[in-house]
């Protein structure tokens, strides 16, 4: 080991050659730049959070351009209806006028129309499937056709509703200018015959876990991932059982939960989410 001090390296020599105070100025401007960067990131986060809060809480219709082939990703509105410039209001059995503007923000309700038709309007929440069963066992016992107008919600309840629809041999439809998103297309799939009217907005996206329970770090994360994977498998199994092409769910898995992949009329037919009388599944 040498007794002599090692000669300063290149960086140290450069620093020693700087005029008095220059190092302090460099440190000051470095801290200033870092602070500005952090502030800019905070502003972007706030703006992003505000935009996401608006998307999640908005109950007023949002005007969006109509999806076209190759341009089908739109924001997912869990409590509102997206409208394109040339879209109107859906005609729904049991309604004399279009549903109220906040109908999508409320738990799904069931309305009996004429000639065996009924409508299901609003969010699919936990317990909606049981409410649907009570409706079919009560005033809706003679229903043969169900019109859907819903932003979706609980996948579990949507699967149960689809099973009920098939057991009761009901037809399903999304009326012209109607909205059927997220878990709602699973209910649509249950129909023994399925239709989507002109300008109907039918879309899918990723299944996601609703936060809840006690935080448990990696274990909770693993449990959530396993739960989501099991739910995806249930969705695909349902589609197969209902004679819908399970390739449909590829678009769901590729689309983030805050967005929606809106299916074109050609895709609705290709995946057999809508049917013709000749291709309707056997009842």
């Amino acid at each position: 080991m040498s007794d002599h001090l090692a000669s300063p390296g290149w960086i140290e020599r450069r620093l020693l050659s700087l005029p008095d105070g220059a190092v302090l100025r460099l440190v000051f401007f470095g801290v200033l730049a870092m602070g500005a960067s952090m502030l800019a990131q905070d502003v972007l986060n706030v703006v992003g959070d505000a935009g996401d809060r608006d998307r999640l809480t908005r109950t007023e219709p949002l005007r969006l351009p109509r999806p076209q082939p190759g341009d089908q990703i739109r924001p997912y509105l869990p409590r509102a209806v997206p409208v394109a410039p040339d879209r109107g209001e859906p005609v729904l059995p049991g309604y004399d006028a279009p549903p109220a503007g906040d109908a999508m923000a409320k738990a799904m309700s069931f309305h009996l129309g004429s000639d065996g038709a009924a409508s299901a309007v609003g969010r699919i929440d936990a317990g909606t499937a049981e409410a649907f069963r009570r409706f079919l066992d009560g005033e809706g016992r003679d229903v043969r056709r169900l019109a859907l107008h819903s932003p979706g919600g609980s996948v579990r309840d949507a699967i149960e509703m689809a099973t009920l629809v098939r057991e009761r041999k009901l037809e399903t439809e999304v009326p012209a200018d109607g909205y059927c998103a997220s878990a709602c297309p699973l209910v649509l799939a249950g129909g023994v015959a399925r239709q989507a009217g002109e300008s109907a907005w039918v879309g899918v996206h990723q299944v996601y876990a609703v936060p809840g329970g006690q935080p448990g770090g990696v274990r909770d994360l693993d449990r959530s991932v396993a739960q989501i994977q099991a739910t995806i498998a249930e969705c695909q199994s349902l589609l197969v059982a209902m004679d819908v092409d399970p390739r449909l769910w590829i678009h769901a898995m590729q689309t983030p939960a805050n967005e929606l992949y809106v299916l074109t009329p050609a895709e609705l037919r290709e995946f057999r989410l809508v049917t013709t009388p000749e291709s309707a599944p056997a009842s």
Side-chain angles (χ1 to χ4, degrees):
M1 183 174 181
S2 172
D3 293 331
H4 298 288
L5 292 176
S7 60
W10 181 84
I11 295 177
E12 188 176 352
R13 291 199 304 272
R14 294 292 296 176
L15 290 174
L16 290 173
S17 67
L18 291 174
D20 292 344
V23 174
L24 291 177
R25 286 196 296 272
L26 284 174
V27 172
F28 171 76
F29 286 120
V31 171
L32 189 64
M34 184 180 299
S37 176
M38 294 174 63
L39 179 61
Q41 187 61 51
D42 287 343
V43 169
L44 290 175
N45 289 339
V46 168
V47 171
D49 290 345
D52 207 46
R53 280 196 301 272
D54 179 70
R55 181 185 64 82
L56 293 172
T57 60
R58 183 188 185 97
T59 58
E60 301 83 11
L62 178 64
R63 191 166 296 279
L64 293 170
R66 177 186 296 281
Q68 300 293 337
D71 176 30
Q72 296 163 247
I73 303 297
R74 295 293 180 270
Y76 171 53
L77 305 172
R79 298 175 181 271
V81 177
V83 293
D86 54 348
R87 285 183 74 199
E89 296 284 356
V91 176
L92 296 163
Y95 276 91
D96 295 329
D102 63 349
M104 297 293 101
K106 298 178 180 177
M108 180 173 277
S109 56
F110 306 97
H111 307 267
L112 187 62
S114 59
D115 300 325
S119 59
V121 179
R123 287 183 49 78
I124 302 173
D125 291 336
T128 295
E130 183 56 35
F132 182 47
R133 184 186 296 275
R134 290 196 300 269
F135 171 75
L136 293 179
D137 288 341
E139 64 173 327
R141 65 178 64 88
D142 295 323
V143 166
R144 300 186 303 275
R145 178 171 56 87
L146 184 69
L148 298 166
H149 190 48
S150 169
S154 167
V155 173
R156 170 64 54 194
D157 282 69
I159 291 174
E160 292 181 18
M161 290 178 67
T163 303
L164 269 173
V165 165
R166 183 56 60 91
E167 287 176 354
R168 304 298 174 98
K169 298 180 172 61
L170 306 183
E171 299 179 4
T172 53
E173 69 167 340
V174 181
D177 301 307
Y179 184 45
C180 184
S182 185
C184 177
L186 296 173
V187 184
L188 176 64
V192 294
R194 306 177 285 270
Q195 299 179 15
E198 185 177 356
S199 299
W201 196 292
V202 182
V204 294
H205 63 178
Q206 291 172 357
V207 174
Y208 59 96
V210 177
Q214 297 297 319
V218 174
R219 181 175 296 179
D220 274 352
L221 177 60
D222 289 343
R223 186 182 298 119
S224 295
V225 171
Q227 178 184 353
I228 289 172
Q229 289 176 329
T231 302
I232 290 171
E234 287 186 73
C235 293
Q236 292 175 310
S237 295
L238 175 77
L239 295 178
V240 171
M242 301 303 172
D243 194 36
V244 176
D245 192 331
R247 290 183 301 134
L248 163 67
W249 218 246
I250 293 175
H251 292 298
M253 291 187 290
Q254 290 176 334
T255 306
N258 63 342
E259 296 178 334
L260 200 68
Y261 181 91
V262 184
L263 296 154
T264 65
E267 287 174 326
L268 290 171
R269 294 189 298 271
E270 176 187 352
F271 297 130
R272 301 191 300 279
L273 193 56
V274 300
T275 63
T276 62
E278 292 77 17
S279 64
S283 59

